[in-house]
Structure formats: structure tokens, C-alpha cells
Amino acid sequence: MSRAVYPTSAHWGGYQVVVEDGRVVGVRPDPDDPAPSPIIANTPGAQHHPSRVARPAVRRRWLEHGPGPDPRRGDPDDEYVEVEWDTVLDLLARELDRVRSRHGNEAIYGGSYGWGSAGRIHHAQSQLHRFLNTIGGYTRSRTTYSHGAVEVLMPRILGTPAANRLLHRAPAWTVIREHTDLLVTFGGLRVSNTWTSSGGRAVQTAGPAMREAAESGVEFVSVSPLRDDTPEDVKADWVSIEPGTDTAVMLALMHVLFTEGLADTAFLDRYTVGAEAVRSYVLGEDGSGPVRDPEWAESVSGVPAGELRALARRMAGRRTLVNVGWSVQRARHGEQPLWAGLALACCLGQVGLPGGGFASGYGSMGNYGGGATPLGLPRMPQGNNPVDSFIPVARIADMLLHPGERYDFDGQERRYPHARLVYWAGGNPFHHHQDLARLTEAFGRPDTVVVHETHWTATARHADIVVPATTVLERDDLTASQGDLTVRAMPRAVPPHGQARDEYDTYADLAERLGLREEFTEGRTSGQWMRVVYERWRSLVARRGLDVPGFDEFWSLGRVEIPGRVEDEALLGEFRADPEGGALRTPSGRIELFSDTIDSFGYEDCPGHPVWLPGPTVTGDRDAWPFTLVANQPSGRLHSQQDMGAHSMSQKVEGRAPLRMHPGDARALGLAEGSVVRVVGPRGSCLAGLVPSESVRPGVVQLSTGAWYDPTAPGVTCAHGNPNALTEDVGTSSLSQGCTGQLTRVRVEAFTGPLPPVRAFDPPRGVMPA
Ligand SMILES: Nc1nc2c(c(=O)[nH]1)N[C@H]1C(S)=C(S)[C@@H](COP(=O)(O)OP(=O)(O)OC[C@H]3O[C@@H](n4cnc5c(=O)[nH]c(N)nc54)[C@H](O)[C@@H]3O)O[C@H]1N2
Ligand SMILES: Nc1nc2c(c(=O)[nH]1)N[C@H]1C(S)=C(S)[C@@H](COP(=O)(O)OP(=O)(O)OC[C@H]3O[C@@H](n4cnc5c(=O)[nH]c(N)nc54)[C@H](O)[C@@H]3O)O[C@H]1N2
Ligand SMILES: [Mo]
């Protein structure tokens, strides 16, 4: 028997896998990691699971009838035919050529959103985009599901460079520890969320950093529907709020600051434009409606007026940092809490000071507040896309259902392109998109759907052509994330599962069939690319007079420290020091609390300054749908990845995703702990396992994302507990068109009758065991 231990890395951090006879039998935390993530325990089970894609497969109906719209795409009873590699490559190359020559490259939708795996060379999106660029381009996607509203709003009101810093160069947790008196966070600081960073962080630093900040005297206030959205050891004061009402709370906090002489008018005058518009709106002087005082906010948010007054006074006059977590903007009108949060921070007058001001992302991702790497990381070049067609990423179903139709986005009147071929690699829209029944209808529209996958996900089961991809453990790669401490080698640990291949090789062979092999590969293997990419990064670093070892030394050392890391003292510090010389790249050069540009777009759902606009979860029918459902990130895994792994499975109840509810609500409904419940909303339903918890605000339920979508049971949209069976497919607003999956309204009832099995992890008909 052979046994070996290999270092690896996932988005959930660096760790080691134990391999026996070509199989992963265990995991070990990195010995340097002060707080390793329990998510690593999912890997052994997922790596060799029967849901791995072992051979290329083609949906029988597509194989027999050829390309074309098919409303049966995604039918759980559909059969697949496993084929030889040469066959699938011939079919796929011919279909790509048909679509691009008949309809143009714009008809290929290659947005292919999703996290895929860590690894800078074999990163699924990068490889797909490089390939599609080589063959003439594709319709791409813009912005993210994570923070679409931040990405569109912030450049308008802070200017692009400052908006980029807000997302990618937040001051480090050590600055907070040193300078902050009070950190008020809307949307929690979930340690489980900080376990992940795109690319994977060398070691987990955010959880320990939060604890150290608290130990040094930083006070934390968490405005959230869940008490345990902050780690116990930061001893946060919990302000329990009705989800989707943060803007009302922020406006009321400003009301107290304005009316009690606590607002920093000198700061507002010098560094902002539009404060007067916000002030007269808050005071109810602009004729737009009620006075937005704490009593008004209490009626909207459920937070007692006295608590709001006390909080505003507590925030004023000391070093206060306002953090708006990304969840808060992942909802209808998600721009407003960002803009109002920034306005609140401006009223406090501490923007630009170390440890004070505004942030958006602490507690959302591990590398936020973990330093920045402005020199960049090793990067696989993707080439250029000659097609200028794009959609805002979360409008995928609208695009497929309504080609040619008009929509608004960031001041532009746009039209949806007509996508005939959808190409997905490294993402799982049947995990991530809202209203999955609608998405299924949308996936019936294109001529052909192609999916590269490691596993038979619900998305693979909506594909006509399924191409098996290797996992990170089956290929050599290197990784690091933005702000990371090291670049790390990820050597191959096990042989490929079945006939799975590295996507690079798949694309190279496809490119060959289209006469473009040389253009795609530039004469290199993926191993040679790894060396080139590393050495290019090394020269970039060397141009700044910094030094890292050559590739061979790096590979044998297994890791190198990233030179040139920075930890900024403050966001907008230069602007504060010199508002003229360091003017922002906004029309006014200042922070725009009123934006003439946004105002000129004339959007009712995003006017020229922050306002209270109740979303559908606030205005929804509370008799029919008495609960606000919070669909937050799962603590047991990353999104849908490795859902069948041991740690993720250990959280399930009767094999279903856990639904948390206040014990009082559970009692009132007569629902027993550990029972299976049916969660029903206006668009669909799912099963879940009931977990009563005092941490949940009454009237709220929590069902995290990522249970594999299972549409096989009669009478229920998803038998496994994917909250996107319930969510509404609508954009944040005409401005950003971001994802709004965080919140929806539901009712919860006992499930009676025979419990349908969870079939999500069974491969489809026609697929043989590896
Ligand atoms: N209701 C609701 N929905 C949400 C959210 C929410 O808050 N609420 N959050 C949203 C957010 S922020 C995000 S970022 C999205 C995340 O959505 P996704 O990023 O789409 O979710 P993942 O499960 O990470 O999907 C990645 C897929 O890539 C596959 N994969 C892994 N490695 C490889 C590889 O090397 N090659 C290929 N071809 N495939 C690979 C995995 O098997 C997996 O199926 O979800 C969004 N959806
Ligand atoms: N373990 C793990 N970590 C992850 C991920 C994962 O899948 N698993 N996904 C990663 C990704 S891609 C992203 S983008 C980030 C997302 O990071 P976030 O968006 O910050 O994370 P969420 O868990 O969706 O939401 C955080 C908390 O916000 C609270 N919340 C929800 N709605 C409201 C509201 O209206 N008001 C207030 N005040 N609070 C509200 C909820 O209680 C929730 O627990 O997480 C990353 N981290
Ligand atoms: Mo995300």
C-alpha cells in the first residue's frame, strides 16, 4: 500500500490531503493555520463520489434530434449517452462552428459565472474565456452575484479608483484593532464566510483577527436578523432587525445625528455633495413623505426607537466604522443600504481616518481586511474578446427568455442578445440563480447547452453535452488569492477520475478541430504555461525591485512569500488629507450623496440620493407568506461544492438542508425539531429539516444556499432544500441589475405523507458507474 500527503488549496484555504493507493482517504489542516476551516473535511467524500462525471456524455434527445430549443431540457428522466472523447469533441466543434457561422459569435453565451476551483492555471473561467476568445469571442457577463450593486453604484458615487479600493484594498483588521472604537456592521461578520476567498488564502486569519480586535477593546454592534452572525468571542451587541429594512434604520440614525447636533457638518461641507438633499429627505422637509425618525424606523424595521437613538449617540464622536455586508445589497433596492450607509459614515465625519468611516465586506470574505497585493498574482492570459455583447450576470434567465427585449442598466438602454449556445464551465447556475423553475424554462430556449463539470450537478443535468473535468487534486497548479501571504504549489495528488481530462487539453483539441490549436496553446502544454505564468509574474515583481525565487525553486519549496503586499491605513485617506489634489473621480470630485448622473437616469427604483424603498419582502402579503426567508451562505461548504462531503452532510436533517426558525414560531406552528417541513413561496416550494434556534429573529427563517437542486419529487419544486426554488428572479434595480437572492417571503408547514428520497446526487439515466 502506498501512502502520501500532498499540499493542496481550495477557495476554503490551504490544507493537505492524505492519499492511499490513488485515493484521498483523509485531510489535514496546514500546520501553520491558526484556525483551519472544517469545510476541508468534505474533500475525501466528494473526490471519489459516484456523482463524479467519468465520461463524456450527450443527452439522447439532442443526439437524436440535433440542436434546437427543447422544453424537456433538464427533465429528471432524460437519458444520457456516454460517448468517446473523439466523438464528443467532433460534435462540439461542429456545433460551435455552426452557431458562430450562422448566428455570429455573439450567439455564444460564455459568461459562465461561478467559482470553479482554486488554481491560477486551470481556473475554469479563465480557460473557457481564453478558448472562446480564440475562436472569435462570445457574449460575456458583467459584475457578480456577490456584490453587483457595489460594483455599479460605488464607481458612480466614489469614483472608480476609490470603489476598487473599497472592494479590494480594505484596511487590515490590525488597523481596526488599533484605531476603531466601535464597529457597527449591517449583515454580520460571519466567521464561516471568512473561510473562503477566491483562490484560497494560505491560512485563515480573519476569525483570529476579529477576536484580537475585541480583546483590544473594539466594541461590536451587529445589526442582523441572526444573533450568531458574529462570533461569540467578539461579544457583539445584537440589534435584531427585520431583513431588508437596513436603509430605514440608517436614515433614522442620521435623523438623530442631524437633530441632536451630532452630524459633522464640516466634513459634509468639505468632502461631499448632496448632503442637504439627504438631510431634508431625512427630516421630511422635501415633501417626499414622513419624517424618517427612529419611531418611523421602528415601525418599518422592528428595532425599538430607543435602541436606535442610543446607537446613534454611541456612534457619534468616537472612531466608528460602518460596515455594510454584501448580503444587505443582495436584495431588491440593494443600492440603498450601501448609499445610506456611506451617507451615515459621512455624517459621522470619519471617512478617511484609520479605523473609521465606511466599508463593505468585512466578514463577507476571508481576504477582506487581509491585506492587498497591488503587484498582482500569476495569471493565465485570456486574450481579447472581439465581441462587445454582455449582460449583467444575474439577468441570465431574462436574456434566454426574452432575446431582443430592452432593459436598463447603469444609464444604458440595452437589448438582450439571442444566445443559441450556452457554454458553462466552473459554475452552477442551478445552484446560484433565483427562481430555478423559471431558469429551467429559460434553459429550454437555446439550441445547445454545454457544461464542463467535475460532478453531475443540476446544471450538468440541464446540458446537452457534458464534458468531464479533472479536479484540483488531479492536476498540477499554483494558487494565491488577492492579499494573500504566499503563492502555493498544488501538485497532483491522485490520477484523474474515469476519463476526466484537464480542460486545457479539451480546449486545445477543440481548437485543433477549428484550425486554431496553435493560437490557443501558443505551443505550450498546461505545465509549460504554469512555468511561463509564474515567471511573468516574477519579472513583474522584479521590475519593482523585489525578488522571488525561480519556478523550479518555487515548485520544490512548495510556496513563496508574496512580495509587495500592502496593508492600507485608511480608505480615502489621501482624499481626506487633500480633497483638491486627491479629488475623487466623480463628477464633483467629492463623495456624491446626491448624484446628478444617477438622478439623470430617471430610475424610480434608484433615484439621485439614498431613499427608503421597501422591497417585496417588506411589502409582501404577510398573511399568505408570514416568514422572511434569509438565504445566506452555507457554513458547511462553499456554495454547492462538495455538498455530498462529510461535513456538509453532517448538518442535514433527514438528508435535507437545515431550516432554522425561532423556537416560539416552531411551537406556534406545531413543528417538531428534526422534522421535515415544506417551505412554500409564491413561485415554488422545497423540503427542509427543522432546526429551532434562539439565534433567529421571530418571523424570520434561515435556509442557506447550496443544497443540490432536486426536482425529482412530485408536488415540490426541490426535495432537498435549495432556497432558489423559492427566490424571485428580479434585479436589485435598473441601475445595477444585481442578484437579489438573499431574501424572499415564505410560509412553513409540516410535511406529511411519504418522504421522497433525495435523488440530487444520483447520476442521470444512461450514465454508468466509473
Ligand atoms: N438565494 C441565493 N442565491 C445565491 C446567493 C445568495 O446569497 N442567495 N449568493 C450568490 C453568490 S454571492 C454566488 S458567488 C453564487 C455562487 O454560485 P457558483 O459559483 O455557481 O456556485 P459553486 O457551487 O461554487 O459552483 C461552482 C461549480 O464549479 C464546479 N467546478 C469546480 N471545479 C471545477 C473545474 O475545475 N472545472 C469545471 N468545469 N467545474 C468545476 C463545481 O463542481 C461547481 O458545480 O451563488 C449566488 N446564489
Ligand atoms: N462558508 C462559506 N463562506 C462563504 C461562501 C460560502 O458559500 N460558504 N460564499 C462566499 C461568497 S461567494 C460571498 S459573495 C460571500 C457573501 O458574504 P455575505 O453576503 O456577507 O454573506 P451571507 O452569509 O449571504 O450573509 C451574511 C448575513 O447577513 C444577514 N442578512 C441577510 N439579510 C439581511 C438584511 O436585510 N439586513 C441585515 N442587517 N442582515 C442581513 C444574514 O443573517 C446573513 O447570515 O461569502 C463568501 N463566503
Ligand atoms: Mo459570491
Side-chain angles (χ1 to χ4, degrees), residues 39 115 146 186-188 190 192-196 223-226 229 241-246 325-328 330 363-365 630-639 742-743:
I39 294 176
W115 272 57
S146 311
F186 295 84
R190 296 181 78 211
S192 58
N193 281 350
T194 69
W195 290 333
T196 73
V223 183
S224 164
L226 304 181
D229 260 351
I241 188 176
E242 169 61 26
T245 67
D246 298 76
W326 298 337
S327 63
V328 177
R330 205 176 302 117
S364 296
M365 205 81 89
V630 172
N632 58 357
Q633 313 301 309
S635 64
R637 60 186 171 269
L638 173 69
H639 311 137
Q742 183 78 195
L743 304 176

Side-chain angles (χ1 to χ4, degrees), residues 113-117 122-124 145-147 330 424-429 431-434 452-455 457 467 469-472 475 503 631-633 638-641 705 708 723-724 727 739 741-742:
Y113 184 78
W115 272 57
S117 288
H122 293 285
H123 180 239
Y145 279 71
S146 311
H147 36 55
R330 205 176 302 117
W424 226 289
N428 188 0
H431 148 72
H432 71 231
H433 195 60
Q434 287 53 69
H452 289 205
E453 254 297 349
T454 54
H455 290 73
T457 60
V467 181
T470 49
T471 67
V472 290
R475 58 202 187 205
E503 283 158 285
N632 58 357
Q633 313 301 309
L638 173 69
H639 311 137
S640 68
Q641 296 195 37
T705 63
W708 279 29
N724 283 320
T727 50
C739 165
Q742 183 78 195

Side-chain angles (χ1 to χ4, degrees), residues 419-441:
R420 315 282 177 156
L421 186 149
V422 171
Y423 206 135
W424 226 289
N428 188 0
F430 284 85
H431 148 72
H432 71 231
H433 195 60
Q434 287 53 69
D435 195 350
L436 293 179
R438 181 172 190 256
L439 187 66
T440 297
E441 192 192 335

Side-chain angles (χ1 to χ4, degrees), residues 713-766:
V716 63
T717 318
C718 174
H720 189 194
N722 185 318
N724 283 320
L726 305 158
T727 50
E728 186 178 7
D729 185 6
V730 59
T732 47
S733 80
S734 310
L735 187 80
S736 321
Q737 297 287 6
C739 165
T740 63
Q742 183 78 195
L743 304 176
T744 193
R745 291 212 73 78
V746 297
R747 73 167 187 266
V748 182
E749 57 197 32
F751 178 77
T752 48
L755 193 58
V758 174
R759 294 229 158 89
F761 302 129
D762 300 348
R765 288 208 304 142

Side-chain angles (χ1 to χ4, degrees), residues 206-428:
M210 284 185 219
R211 189 182 57 237
E212 285 160 18
E215 283 165 1
S216 309
V218 180
E219 297 168 26
F220 291 78
V221 171
S222 172
V223 183
S224 164
L226 304 181
R227 185 197 299 274
D228 53 8
D229 260 351
T230 48
E232 202 145 312
D233 49 20
V234 311
K235 300 189 177 61
D237 296 321
W238 181 35
V239 176
S240 168
I241 188 176
E242 169 61 26
T245 67
D246 298 76
T247 306
V249 162
M250 292 161 174
L251 293 169
L253 294 171
M254 283 188 263
H255 184 275
V256 178
L257 300 179
F258 285 131
T259 55
E260 298 190 2
L262 298 172
D264 188 337
T265 47
F267 181 90
L268 292 172
D269 289 346
R270 182 138 194 234
Y271 296 101
T272 73
V273 291
E276 191 42 43
V278 175
R279 186 175 167 279
S280 74
Y281 174 83
V282 165
L283 300 183
E285 289 170 358
D286 66 351
S288 69
V291 180
R292 278 83 188 184
D293 61 10
E295 283 70 24
W296 166 81
E298 175 177 343
S299 72
V300 172
S301 67
V303 183
E307 211 176 309
L308 292 174
R309 280 214 166 76
L311 178 58
R313 292 170 191 151
R314 189 175 168 194
M315 291 170 85
R318 47 214 296 251
R319 196 55 61 84
T320 298
L321 177 62
V322 176
N323 179 53
V324 179
W326 298 337
S327 63
V328 177
Q329 54 89 68
R330 205 176 302 117
R332 182 78 183 143
H333 309 305
E335 295 82 5
Q336 302 308 319
L338 290 169
W339 209 348
L342 178 63
L344 172 62
C346 288
C347 288
L348 293 168
Q350 311 212 320
V351 173
L353 296 177
F358 178 78
S360 179
Y362 288 109
S364 296
M365 205 81 89
N367 53 0
Y368 200 92
T373 37
L375 297 187
L377 298 170
R379 186 171 178 276
M380 184 75 198
Q382 297 182 14
N384 294 314
N385 186 351
V387 172
D388 62 9
S389 166
F390 75 85
I391 59 164
V393 67
R395 304 277 39 88
I396 169 77
D398 284 353
M399 172 189 76
L400 295 174
L401 292 168
H402 303 290
E405 266 182 41
R406 178 193 172 286
Y407 69 97
D408 288 305
F409 176 65
D410 196 18
Q412 307 166 30
E413 284 187 20
R414 303 186 53 83
R415 282 183 191 282
Y416 289 117
H418 195 152
R420 315 282 177 156
L421 186 149
V422 171
Y423 206 135
W424 226 289
N428 188 0

